[in-house]
Amino acid sequence: MPTVSQEDIEKAVEQAIEEGGAEVTVDDVVNVLGDDSDSIRESAEDILAESLAALEAASDGESEEEDESDPDVLFRFMSAVNTLYAGQNEESIPAFDLILRIHPEMPRAYYYRGVAFYRSEQIELAKADFEKSLELDPDSGDTYLQRGLLRLDEGDEQAALDDFNTAIRLAPWLADAYRNRGALLINNGQAAPGRADLERALEIYLFERSEERIEEVRELLDNPPAGPIEMFKATDILPRLP
C-alpha cells in the first residue's frame, strides 16, 4: 500500500526539476521519492508533464512587464498551490493571476484559482474559472467535482449530480466524489445507492489512510443522521492517486 502523498510527489517533481532542469524524467522523480510503484509513477508523470509545460510556457512567454516574463513561473505556480492548500485562499489569487497572464492556456491554474475564488465566496468568478478549466481540459475529474459542489450551493441538485457522475467516470479514485454523490442520493431518498457510494468512498479513504475522512464516513454508515447529510465541502483540491 503506497504511503507517498500527492504533496510528496509535487515536492519531488520540484526537486528533480531544480536538479535536472528541463531534461528531467519521471525516473528522476521516482528516484527522489524512493517509490517506483505503478500508481506513484503514473501520478508523477502527470505532475511532471504539467510542471514542464508551465516551465516551457514561462521560458517562451513574451510580456511588456519584466515580472511577467520571470522564468521561475513553475515555482511560482507550485508556491501558489501550496498557499491555497494551506487554506490561504485570497492570498493565492494574485499569484494565479500572474501565472495566467504568462500562460493563459493552463487549465490547472484556472482550476486552482477557481477553488480559491469558491472558498472566498466569489462564486461567479469561481464558476468562470471552472468553466475555462474544463474547456481546456474536459477530462479533469476533480474540476467536475468542484463545480458540482458549486452547483449544489446554487440549488441545482441535478446539475451537481451530473458533475459528480462525470467526476467518478473520469477519475474513479476520487473518494470525495463518491462521498458527496452518496450524501446527495441519500438526501433524496435513494438510500441503497447512496450507501453504496459511501462504502466505496470508505474503501478509497482506507487505501489512502485518510484518517479523518475514514472516521467521518464510518460514522455516517454506522449511525445515519436523522436529517440531511451535509456535503463534504472541505474536499481535497489536489488530484488523488489513481
Side-chain angles (χ1 to χ4, degrees):
M1 183 178 294
T3 59
V4 177
S5 69
Q6 187 74 24
E7 186 175 359
D8 290 335
I9 298 174
E10 292 197 343
K11 288 180 179 178
V13 168
E14 183 175 358
Q15 179 180 333
I17 290 176
E18 287 177 346
E19 294 174 355
E23 302 303 317
V24 68
T25 68
V26 70
D27 289 330
D28 299 316
V29 178
V30 298
N31 286 339
V32 173
L33 290 166
D35 187 333
D36 193 21
S37 61
D38 289 343
S39 62
I40 298 300
R41 177 173 283 271
E42 289 175 9
S43 291
E45 286 177 348
D46 291 342
I47 295 171
L48 178 61
E50 182 176 281
S51 299
L52 291 176
L55 184 61
E56 181 181 358
S59 300
D60 294 341
E62 297 181 359
S63 172
E64 295 180 359
E65 298 182 33
E66 182 177 352
D67 287 345
E68 292 188 6
S69 60
D70 192 341
D72 71 351
V73 66
L74 168 64
F75 306 108
R76 290 174 180 264
F77 174 74
M78 297 180 76
S79 176
V81 171
N82 287 334
T83 300
L84 178 60
Y85 199 67
Q88 300 174 16
N89 305 313
E90 293 187 4
E91 292 85 346
S92 70
I93 292 172
F96 290 120
D97 290 343
L98 174 59
I99 292 160
L100 286 167
R101 285 199 296 271
I102 299 169
H103 190 16
E105 300 300 309
M106 187 176 183
R108 296 304 293 177
Y110 286 105
Y111 164 71
Y112 287 124
R113 190 176 68 175
V115 172
F117 281 137
Y118 181 29
R119 294 184 175 182
S120 301
E121 299 184 355
Q122 301 181 63
I123 302 303
E124 291 304 317
L125 292 174
K127 186 187 300 184
D129 272 358
F130 291 149
E131 295 292 346
K132 183 63 176 179
S133 178
L134 289 172
E135 175 187 327
L136 295 169
D137 180 13
D139 294 327
S140 174
D142 44 347
T143 307
Y144 280 102
L145 170 58
Q146 289 290 332
R147 193 179 70 174
L149 288 167
L150 187 152
R151 287 176 158 181
L152 198 61
D153 278 350
E154 293 182 321
D156 193 340
E157 292 190 354
Q158 184 57 55
L161 181 60
D162 290 343
D163 275 350
F164 294 153
N165 288 338
T166 303
I168 289 168
R169 176 175 60 81
L170 293 172
W173 57 87
L174 282 175
D176 293 341
Y178 286 103
R179 188 264 179 231
N180 283 325
R181 187 177 72 175
L184 181 57
L185 291 172
I186 290 171
N187 291 344
N188 283 278
Q190 301 181 59
R195 185 178 178 85
D197 271 353
L198 294 183
E199 290 172 347
R200 178 58 181 148
L202 179 59
E203 290 177 2
I204 301 172
Y205 289 142
L206 286 167
F207 178 81
E208 296 170 341
R209 300 180 180 178
S210 301
E211 295 300 331
E212 181 179 349
R213 299 183 185 194
I214 290 169
E215 182 179 350
E216 190 254 8
V217 174
R218 275 182 171 161
E219 179 66 21
L220 289 176
L221 288 168
D222 294 341
N223 301 288
I229 300 174
E230 293 184 3
M231 290 296 107
F232 191 24
K233 294 184 180 179
T235 184
D236 198 339
I237 60 171
L238 297 176
R240 298 278 185 173
L241 297 180

